Amino acid sequence: MKINSISLKNFRNYSQSKIELSPRINLFLGNNGHGKTSLLEAVWICVNGRSYRTAKSKNVINFSNKSAEIEIRTTNNDSINEIKVQITENKKKFLVNDKKNKNRSELKKILATVLIDREFKENLEKSFRPRRLILDTIMSNISLSFSKKLQLYSEEIKRKNEILRTSKNDDILDFIDVRLLNLSHSLSSERSLWLSRITNIAGKVLRKLAPKNSLDLNIKSDSLDSESLNSALKSNRIKEKITGKCLVGSHKDQISFILNGFDAFEFGSEGEKKSVSMALKISEILLLKKVNNDFPIILVDEIGSEFDQKRFNFFYTFITSLETQCFITANNKSVLDINKSKDFSIFSIINGDCKKIS
C-alpha cells in the first residue's frame, strides 16, 4: 500500500504541484503556514472523503479560484489505482480510475491512513465530549461496522432533537426512543469493545517506555445496560422537552484512561499525557494492521512539537521501522539527526512550492 505521487491544483496555498514520493519515509521541511499540513490534509481527503481541518469545501480552495483538484496514484501489490477529488464551493466529486465513486467506504479499501497531530492530545485533555469524539474517529478508522452504527445513531439523535424542539409529540418520541434503545446499546457496546482492545495494546506500548506502567480503561455509560438505558430515557423525558436536547444515550458516554491508578488526562503530568496519547495512536496503527493485514500509511504533522527527546526517539524509531509509507512534517532539521534509513526522501516546502532536496 503506497502512494506513488500526489498532484495538487488550487488546493490551499498550492497553485499547481506534482510530487513524486518515496515508498518509505517522506520528510517535508518548512516554516509554519507554508503548506506542510495542507499536503497531509490532501492525502486524508482522498482516503477518507473529507477534511479533518474544515467542514466547508470552499475553505480548501486556493484564494480567487472556484475549484480545486487532488490526484494521487497508488500501488497495492499488483494493483494500481488513481484517486481524483474535484472540489467546488458546494461539493466534492470522487473518481477512482476515472469512474465516479459515490461510496466513500470503497476508498478505504484502496488505502488506509493514520493521522498523528497535536490536536489529538489536545482533544483528549478536554472534556468528555471532545475526548469521545476524537476516540470515535480512531474506531471509525479501524471498524466500518462501528462507523456505520455511529452514523445511524447520530442521525437518530438529530431526529429526536428536532422533535424535542418543535412538536414535542410523545408518540413520536416513544417511537424514536425504541430505536435509540437498540442503537445506543449496540454502539456503546462496540465502543467499549474497541476501546478495550486499544487500551490493551497501548498498555503494552507504555510498558516498553517504563516497565512499571499500567493503563486501564474506565467507561461510564447508561447505554451498556439496556434496562438502565430504558429507565433513563423515560425519566429524562420532561427535562429533554425543556432543554430541547436528548440527554441520554451513547453521546453521553464518559471515557477515562487510568495510568498507574490515576486519571491520565485529569491528574497526569504533561509527559504522561503525551505518552498515553502516543500509545493510543500506536494502537490504532497496530490494530489496522490486524484488520487489513497491511500497515496503514502514517501521516505525522510536526513530529518534534509534542515529545521530549526520549518519547521522540521512541516514537520515531517505531514508525520508521514499520514496512509502510510515512509522511512526516517538521520545521526543524534536527529530525534528520536520528534518521538512519537510506530509503527516504526530503522535501522543502516554501509558500506552496514543494521540491525534493534529497
Side-chain angles (χ1 to χ4, degrees):
M1 185 187 298
K2 303 287 184 293
I3 298 176
N4 301 322
S5 67
I6 180 167
S7 299
L8 303 172
K9 183 178 180 181
N10 299 329
F11 181 83
R12 295 287 190 182
N13 50 350
Y14 289 88
S15 297
Q16 190 149 355
S17 184
K18 182 175 182 179
I19 308 162
E20 301 291 338
L21 300 160
S22 164
R24 287 288 288 113
I25 313 300
N26 295 273
L27 224 51
F28 299 94
L29 303 176
N31 294 326
N32 293 336
H34 281 247
K36 302 190 306 295
T37 300
S38 298
L39 189 63
L40 303 190
E41 179 187 22
V43 174
W44 185 266
I45 289 173
C46 285
V47 178
N48 297 281
R50 55 181 174 77
S51 169
Y52 62 88
R53 299 172 70 192
T54 179
K56 297 180 179 180
S57 295
K58 66 179 182 180
N59 290 345
V60 306
I61 301 173
N62 191 291
F63 180 72
S64 78
N65 289 281
K66 295 183 178 180
S67 64
E69 186 172 283
I70 310 166
E71 180 181 317
I72 61 174
R73 298 181 68 85
T74 72
T75 302
N76 191 358
N77 297 322
D78 295 328
S79 175
I80 298 175
N81 289 287
E82 181 184 277
I83 301 173
K84 187 180 293 184
V85 186
Q86 297 171 339
I87 306 168
T88 62
E89 291 187 2
N90 301 315
K91 65 178 181 178
K92 293 188 289 289
K93 180 181 178 181
F94 293 82
L95 301 169
V96 178
N97 300 326
D98 290 325
K99 294 183 179 179
K100 190 173 182 180
N101 181 281
K102 294 183 179 180
N103 188 352
R104 301 292 180 266
S105 63
E106 292 297 314
L107 298 174
K108 286 183 174 289
K109 294 179 181 179
I110 300 173
L111 287 174
T113 56
V114 169
L115 172 69
I116 300 155
D117 66 355
R118 185 180 300 175
E119 287 190 12
F120 179 68
K121 172 180 165 290
E122 289 176 351
N123 280 308
L124 289 174
E125 291 178 295
K126 294 176 183 177
S127 63
F128 287 118
R129 183 177 184 274
R131 184 182 303 167
R132 185 183 60 254
L133 291 175
I134 200 67
L135 290 169
D136 279 351
T137 64
I138 288 183
M139 290 174 279
S140 295
N141 197 24
I142 298 169
S143 169
L144 183 59
S145 168
F146 180 84
S147 179
K148 288 181 177 179
K149 286 180 182 179
L150 184 62
Q151 182 179 356
L152 288 172
Y153 178 80
S154 298
E155 290 171 355
E156 205 64 36
I157 287 294
K158 288 179 182 178
R159 189 174 293 114
K160 181 173 181 178
N161 286 342
E162 179 64 24
I163 298 301
L164 287 169
R165 287 193 298 267
T166 56
S167 70
K168 306 184 189 296
N169 186 290
D170 281 315
D171 290 336
I172 298 176
L173 291 171
D174 286 342
F175 175 77
I176 293 175
D177 277 355
V178 171
R179 289 175 57 82
L180 279 178
L181 182 66
N182 295 323
L183 285 170
S184 192
H185 177 65
S186 179
L187 179 63
S188 289
S189 297
E190 189 164 349
R191 179 184 281 144
S192 177
L193 177 64
W194 279 113
L195 283 174
S196 296
R197 292 169 176 167
I198 290 167
T199 305
N200 181 49
I201 296 173
K204 293 177 181 178
V205 172
L206 289 170
R207 284 193 289 277
K208 289 186 177 182
L209 272 173
K212 293 184 178 180
N213 275 335
S214 67
L215 186 68
D216 296 298
L217 172 70
N218 184 31
I219 300 180
K220 293 182 180 179
S221 172
D222 289 329
S223 300
L224 291 172
D225 181 84
S226 295
E227 289 187 7
S228 296
L229 177 59
N230 190 35
S231 176
L233 284 168
K234 291 179 179 178
S235 63
N236 278 275
R237 175 67 60 82
I238 294 175
K239 289 182 182 178
E240 290 182 335
K241 285 183 176 182
I242 294 172
T243 61
K245 293 181 180 179
C246 182
L247 302 176
V248 179
S250 288
H251 63 297
K252 294 296 182 179
D253 287 359
Q254 298 181 359
I255 303 163
S256 301
F257 294 98
I258 311 303
L259 179 65
N260 303 327
F262 297 94
D263 187 319
F265 294 103
E266 185 72 23
F267 303 109
S269 67
E270 190 65 18
E272 287 171 331
K273 293 174 184 178
K274 290 176 179 179
S275 291
V276 174
S277 301
M278 175 187 69
L280 292 172
K281 274 297 175 178
I282 289 176
S283 299
E284 182 182 1
I285 293 167
L286 297 176
L287 277 170
L288 272 168
K289 171 63 166 66
K290 286 187 177 182
V291 170
N292 297 333
N293 199 32
D294 195 5
F295 281 112
I297 292 172
I298 301 172
L299 312 176
V300 188
D301 197 16
E302 297 296 348
I303 189 170
S305 64
E306 280 297 291
F307 302 134
D308 57 25
Q309 197 62 44
K310 179 183 177 181
R311 293 175 181 85
F312 174 83
N313 289 344
F314 180 91
F315 180 68
Y316 186 81
T317 300
F318 169 77
I319 62 171
T320 54
S321 68
L322 302 179
E323 288 300 316
T324 190
Q325 190 176 36
C326 300
F327 289 38
I328 301 171
T329 72
N331 56 21
N332 192 326
K333 290 185 178 181
S334 62
V335 70
L336 300 176
D337 296 340
I338 63 168
N339 196 324
K340 304 297 192 296
S341 170
K342 294 181 181 179
D343 193 10
F344 73 99
S345 295
I346 304 173
F347 300 84
S348 172
I349 300 181
I350 301 174
N351 291 324
D353 182 22
C354 183
K355 291 183 178 179
K356 186 175 180 179
I357 58 176
S358 175

